[in-house]
Every structure is written in structure tokens, then in C-alpha cells.
Amino acid sequence: WAAIGGGDWQTASNWSLGTVPQACEDVIIPASGSMRIIEVPAATDAFGRSLTIGSNGMVINNGNLSISGSDDDGIFLDINASLENNGFLDIFNIQNFGLTIGGRIENYGTINVSNLSTSFELFIRARGMLDNKMGSQVIVRDNDWSNF
């Protein structure tokens, strides 16, 4: 992320490479001294190999966000980082944790975690929180729930 503040995920000039992230790219929202809110618009498909949200970063997914192929964590939320899911969040084919939560996830939509190389779907760190709102769902497939 290169924009000083927040903005639209689909705006190429907001990104350090000058293009909207592709499925083969690691997406990083760096830590900031002030809040950055990045929004995936409704009816939009967004992609990344991994997603790291630094402190004071927030991603609001109103569309379809797919994270796939990371050699490490799929999504990593630092302390004071947040992700609000109002759409469909798909995390798959990840080598380590699907979600590492040090901040807060508010889920109003669907989170799907599948086909991980380890049996660790979610790792909620001290002070981390996953708030699954009424009518929303977290689906974990093809893995062992014993480590959840």
C-alpha cells in the first residue's frame, strides 16, 4: 500500500507497484501512525497470495477477497489492525496458519478456510478477536478442528 491514507483496493495508484494486487503477490498494508481504511468494493473480486495488515490498518471487504498460495500465513493481523468482512473471504492453499489474528476481525459475511498444509486454521493471539456476527459464518474444510 502506498497511499498516505486509506482508499479503494481497486485503484492502481494506491499500490506501491502501481497496479492492483494479483493472486501471485503478497499484499502489505504497513503500520501507520494514523488509521488507514482500505475498502474492497461490493461486486468486486480482489486477490493476493497473502495479506498482512499492520497496526492502525483496516481492510473492509464488501466483495470477494481471495488469499491463496502463501508459503507462510494467509492473513496476518497485527495488534490494532482490523478486518471487516461483509462479503466472501476465501483463504486456501496456505502453508502455515490461514488466519493469524493479533487485532480484530468482524465477520458479517462468510469466511471460508480450506486446503491448508498444516492443521492450524486460525491462530488468535493475546488480545486478538474474531467476532462472528449473527447470520455470518466461518467455514473450515479439509482440516482437523482439534487445533482450533
Side-chain angles (χ1 to χ4, degrees):
W1 188 258
I4 293 172
D8 189 328
W9 181 289
Q10 295 301 105
T11 302
S13 62
N14 285 337
W15 297 99
S16 61
L17 298 178
T19 61
V20 175
Q22 302 299 307
C24 61
E25 297 174 325
D26 295 310
V27 179
I28 300 171
I29 311 300
S32 176
S34 60
M35 184 61 110
R36 292 181 182 187
I37 300 174
I38 294 89
E39 183 175 354
V40 177
T44 299
D45 293 325
F47 305 94
R49 189 173 94 115
S50 68
L51 172 60
T52 299
I53 305 173
S55 184
N56 290 324
M58 179 178 193
V59 172
I60 300 173
N61 177 38
N62 294 312
N64 299 303
L65 177 56
S66 294
I67 303 297
S68 173
S70 175
D71 294 332
D72 198 8
D73 295 346
I75 296 179
F76 178 87
L77 270 75
D78 202 352
I79 295 170
N80 296 324
S82 57
L83 181 122
E84 179 180 307
N85 181 49
N86 301 302
F88 187 76
L89 176 57
D90 197 14
I91 305 161
F92 59 102
N93 295 333
I94 304 297
Q95 295 296 315
N96 202 8
F97 297 108
L99 281 164
T100 298
I101 306 168
R104 179 184 180 100
I105 293 181
E106 291 187 13
N107 183 35
Y108 297 88
T110 298
I111 298 174
N112 181 60
V113 182
S114 62
N115 297 325
L116 304 183
S117 293
T118 68
S119 58
F120 298 101
E121 294 82 13
L122 306 172
F123 177 56
I124 301 176
R125 299 168 56 192
R127 294 183 279 175
M129 180 179 199
L130 172 59
D131 188 359
N132 203 41
K133 302 294 188 178
M134 186 181 299
S136 62
Q137 55 185 340
V138 176
I139 302 166
V140 178
R141 300 178 191 183
D142 303 329
N143 293 75
D144 178 6
W145 272 85
S146 64
N147 292 310
F148 178 71

